[in-house]
Amino acid sequence: MGGKGGTEIIMRNDILDYLLAHRGEYISGQKLSEQLGVSRTAVWKHIQLLKQRNYRIESHTKRGYCLHEAPELLPPERILDGLKTVTLGREIAYYERVSSTNTLAKQLADQGAPEGTLVLAEEQFGGRGRLDRAFLSPFAQGLWFSLILRPPFLPMEVAKMTLLAAVALTRAIRHMGVQCAIKWPNDLLVKGRKLVGILTELNASMERLNYLVLGMGINTSLKEEDVSPELRRIVTSFAMEQVPVSRQKLLQEVLCQLEKYYMIAKEDGFAPILQEWKELSCILGTEVGVALPQGNIIGTAVDLDDSGNLIVVAADGRKETILAGDVRVRPVHK
């Protein structure tokens, strides 16, 4: 790792390692400076960045710095420790901070990265969701990752892979203690607020799917004060739901569930997965509004077709097949 950026990261890690080794103790800026061979100004600067990244460090003018709490990080050795998958997550590209794990995953896939390669970052500064919306991905406060898959499916079946991911993540998250449900096609909600986002991207020709990138973001320790006021009514996390969770255990469970349902799709097709999606959905049977380029539709979401498209029955009785669009559950007025 060369260049100024690499040197800065090494310096910051050295400061952090020293604080971790003396957790709960006050260490003066002068002592850190002398022990590590850096200026006191550099120590102060890196301490401020660590605070921004969810390290709880107390600063005292006369006593120095004291590390009380550190976020749970996920270097590859922690992910592999106890991982029960055969393929998914066995190859790992791990980063401290990136623009987007999906972007990196596509680059790695183009270079021949094997199926199951996991691209994971502690922080994204350019994370994206569906419809090119920004996705909040602060340092170590969620799982921000992408998987490279090379499935034996036709390109037209890719939409069903998104539904597969939603089913697998719902099962994993429920196993970890949060009762989420799926809003079509792939948002996972808890009491109407978004816990998970999924973004599927592919490289394909008309006849062949070269690779698929499944990008996922799961909010774990995000707190209400970490999000803007306008997002508080639409975003949630394990912490906001008051359910403690290990990022390591959650990621391992997600990878296991994804591999399980991926094998079902390869062996038995997507029919059992679509059926399970319906059982886990919070949208079927409810009144929805769908924003489409040609205009809005209001009706009742009633089913999925065999391709995973949403069937909506409008107020006048006509059936509409929704291939893509922004679906919102309409409030019930009493």
Side-chain angles (χ1 to χ4, degrees):
M1 188 181 298
K4 185 175 184 295
T7 305
E8 291 282 303
I9 292 171
I10 292 169
M11 187 188 303
R12 183 163 62 251
N13 287 342
D14 286 345
I15 293 168
L16 177 58
D17 287 344
Y18 198 91
L19 290 174
L20 285 167
H22 299 83
R23 187 187 296 218
E25 302 174 26
Y26 277 93
I27 309 295
S28 71
Q30 184 63 35
K31 186 169 184 178
L32 281 168
S33 174
E34 291 170 355
Q35 290 288 326
L36 303 175
V38 299
S39 70
R40 290 185 64 175
T41 302
V43 169
W44 180 87
K45 182 181 73 173
H46 287 298
I47 293 288
Q48 301 315 303
L49 182 58
L50 290 170
K51 287 180 177 181
Q52 292 171 19
R53 293 186 172 183
N54 224 27
Y55 289 86
R56 195 161 69 83
I57 301 171
E58 189 174 348
S59 303
H60 194 285
T61 306
K62 294 182 178 178
R63 302 173 70 188
Y65 305 106
C66 180
L67 174 64
H68 293 287
E69 189 177 331
E72 177 193 11
L73 302 186
L74 290 176
E77 60 269 19
R78 287 210 72 217
I79 298 167
L80 293 170
D81 182 17
L83 182 63
K84 296 176 181 176
T85 60
V86 175
T87 304
L88 300 193
R90 289 294 160 184
E91 294 285 336
I92 301 172
Y94 171 80
Y95 302 89
E96 184 179 79
R97 187 172 187 263
V98 300
S99 172
S100 160
T101 58
N102 260 34
T103 299
L104 285 172
K106 288 185 288 184
Q107 292 171 0
L108 292 172
D110 286 334
Q111 295 164 15
E115 167 146 294
T117 297
L118 170 68
V119 182
L120 181 140
E122 298 294 356
E123 179 183 5
Q124 292 183 121
F125 58 88
R128 293 173 293 116
R130 287 182 63 247
L131 309 179
D132 209 32
R133 291 180 176 136
F135 192 92
L136 182 67
S137 317
F139 191 88
Q141 290 182 267
L143 292 175
W144 327 121
F145 66 100
S146 301
L147 280 167
I148 297 171
L149 301 177
R150 299 184 182 275
F153 307 136
L154 295 172
M156 65 188 69
E157 294 185 288
V158 166
K160 289 182 275 190
M161 280 296 298
T162 303
L163 303 181
L164 180 154
V167 169
L169 265 68
T170 300
R171 288 301 185 199
I173 289 165
R174 288 187 175 191
H175 181 76
M176 303 304 288
V178 172
Q179 289 301 304
C180 60
I182 311 169
K183 178 175 82 74
W184 187 87
N186 56 8
D187 284 343
L188 271 57
L189 306 184
V190 181
K191 303 168 200 159
R193 297 198 296 171
K194 185 172 176 177
L195 178 72
V196 174
I198 302 170
L199 177 64
T200 306
E201 298 185 281
L202 72 154
N203 180 297
S205 62
M206 288 293 288
E207 306 84 16
R208 183 183 172 204
L209 180 59
N210 299 319
Y211 65 78
L212 182 74
V213 169
L214 274 178
M216 287 155 274
I218 308 173
N219 300 324
T220 54
S221 58
L222 202 66
K223 301 179 181 67
E224 287 203 6
E225 57 266 29
D226 298 323
V227 300
S228 60
E230 62 269 20
L231 286 178
R232 287 175 192 168
R233 62 184 179 83
I234 59 176
V235 170
T236 192
S237 68
F238 275 80
M240 291 184 203
E241 298 303 320
Q242 300 182 325
V243 178
V245 69
S246 158
R247 293 169 77 226
Q248 176 201 25
K249 300 298 184 190
L250 175 60
L251 179 57
Q252 290 173 338
E253 182 66 19
V254 165
L255 292 172
C256 283
Q257 292 291 342
L258 281 167
E259 186 165 275
K260 168 188 166 183
Y261 285 100
Y262 187 40
M263 293 303 298
I264 290 172
K266 288 202 281 190
E267 292 173 6
D268 302 324
F270 283 96
I273 288 157
L274 295 180
Q275 181 57 42
E276 193 159 348
W277 188 99
K278 296 176 192 180
E279 294 168 7
L280 297 172
S281 170
C282 62
I283 201 171
L284 297 184
T286 66
E287 188 178 14
V288 297
V290 187
L292 300 171
Q294 65 270 31
N296 295 341
I297 296 171
I298 295 174
T300 302
V302 295
D303 203 358
L304 294 183
D305 67 15
D306 292 341
S307 297
N309 302 313
L310 185 66
I311 307 299
V312 175
V313 176
D316 59 7
R318 75 182 188 280
K319 279 189 176 181
E320 296 280 356
T321 300
I322 310 301
L323 308 181
D326 190 14
V327 177
R328 298 183 184 275
V329 178
R330 291 173 60 80
V332 177
H333 297 289
K334 296 185 178 180

